[in-house]
């Protein structure tokens, strides 16, 4: 394996080793938070400790930041490898530096979203973080699988990341709302996010199978991807 192949493993390895286990813990706490609240509502005494809600929130914050970070790494690898290969740094240096700036701006917006308290600033930084991901994702170096968008690792990933950004933005609303409207919005959207995460597990492993090692790429490039055949 060459260094560029190893660099391509950073994103999937982080997903498997860090993000997915974290997701499991967050979902476990989510389930307990709901069970505890429902049993308290019925007047019962739950065995579940009162800390599950704040543990869910603490690790939920980690999860949403990790997912946005993972998405940025997933985008950075194809963008920077292909840009270097196609000499974009010298031939279109404006776009190259614009992309660097977009990475920095997206990370800065995410940091600010974590710190923002008022509704307005939470909305502003959530929008900026989401816009950063979409702008970076629309670069020509990113393989979006438009011809099979319904099983695209890119579209699933961006949607899951958007839902995580939204989760970060509405935290105070969940607590302030006595009617539980925001709580229910959160539960519905994040159950949907859970499905997208499952999708990421499947489409990501498929993509690992499809992407050739760098020394095999020129040979695999001769294959006919429509009729699924390769020259002998
Ligand atoms: C796939 C991921 C997630 C799922 C499935 C999920 C689901 C849930 C569920 C079922 C509840 C309990 C609702 C109830 O009381 O009826 C809850 C509460 C909550 N969630 Fe999540 N959630 C996820 C991720 C997140 C993230 C990423 C954050 C923050 C960034 C977050 C913040 C909260 C907060 C603040 C509460 C209220 C906790 C409390 O009552 O103390 N969740 N979530
Ligand atoms: C939370 C979960 C994940 C998110 C949000 C995510 C997001 C992304 C995004 C946005 C891209 C760039 C677009 C693309 O090339 O498709 C990408 C690339 C990729 N992802 Fe993921 N991903 C996740 C999990 C995984 C997992 C579990 C694997 C495999 C085990 C994986 C393998 C890959 C591969 C192989 C690429 C192509 C990278 C390249 O071209 O160098 N991803 N991911």
């Amino acid at each position: 394996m060459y260094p560029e192949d190893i660099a391509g493993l950073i994103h999937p390895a982080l997903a498997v080793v860090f993000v997915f286990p974290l997701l499991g813990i967050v979902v476990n706490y989510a389930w307990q938070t709901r069970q505890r609240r429902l049993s308290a509502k019925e007047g019962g005494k739950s065995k579940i400790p009162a800390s599950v809600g704040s543990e869910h929130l603490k690790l939920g914050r980690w999860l949403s930041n990790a997912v946005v970070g993972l998405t940025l790494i997933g985008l950075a690898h194809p963008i920077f490898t292909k840009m270097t290969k196609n000499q974009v740094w010298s031939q279109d240096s404006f776009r190259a530096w614009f992309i660097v700036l977009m990475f920095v701006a997206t990370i800065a917006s995410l940091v600010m979203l974590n710190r923002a308290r008022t509704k307005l600033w939470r909305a502003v930084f959530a929008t900026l973080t989401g816009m950063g991901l979409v702008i970076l994702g629309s670069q020509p170096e990113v393989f979006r699988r438009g011809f099979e968008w319904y099983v695209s690792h890119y579209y699933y990933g961006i949607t899951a990341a958007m839902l995580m950004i939204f989760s970060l933005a509405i935290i105070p609303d969940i607590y302030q709302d006595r009617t539980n409207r925001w709580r229910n919005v959160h539960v519905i959207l994040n159950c949907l996010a859970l499905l997208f995460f499952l999708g990421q597990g499947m489409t990501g492993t498929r993509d690992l199978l499809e992407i050739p090692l760098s020394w095999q790429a020129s040979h695999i490039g001769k294959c006919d991807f429509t009729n699924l055949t390769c020259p002998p």
Side-chain angles (χ1 to χ4, degrees), residues 27-61:
V27 172
N28 183 243
Y29 277 130
W31 181 251
Q32 290 189 306
T33 306
R34 187 169 176 85
Q35 292 306 311
R36 188 176 197 283
R37 190 177 62 80
L38 293 182
S39 88
K41 208 167 106 184
E42 282 161 14
K45 206 163 161 30
S46 174
K47 286 199 186 88
I48 300 169
S51 58
V52 285
S54 58
E55 288 296 321
H56 171 69
L57 171 59
K58 193 171 83 187
L59 292 170
R61 275 186 184 279

Side-chain angles (χ1 to χ4, degrees), residues 8 11-13 15-16 19-20 67 70-72 74-75 77-78 81-82 142-144 152-154 156-158 160-161 197 200-208 211:
H11 164 88
V16 172
V19 175
F20 278 83
V67 169
L70 187 70
T71 306
L72 286 172
L75 292 169
H77 181 254
T81 343
K82 288 183 196 163
V142 178
F143 175 63
R144 287 180 288 271
S152 157
H153 189 70
Y154 168 78
Y156 284 10
I158 291 288
F197 285 128
Q200 284 310 82
M202 293 184 225
T203 54
T205 39
R206 174 206 57 198
D207 288 357
L208 274 178
I211 300 170

Side-chain angles (χ1 to χ4, degrees), residues 30 33-34 37 53 56-57 60 64 168 174-175 183 186-187 190:
T33 306
R34 187 169 176 85
R37 190 177 62 80
H56 171 69
L57 171 59
S64 24
L168 270 180
I174 296 180
Y175 286 114
R183 192 177 278 271
H186 170 78
V187 175
N190 279 4

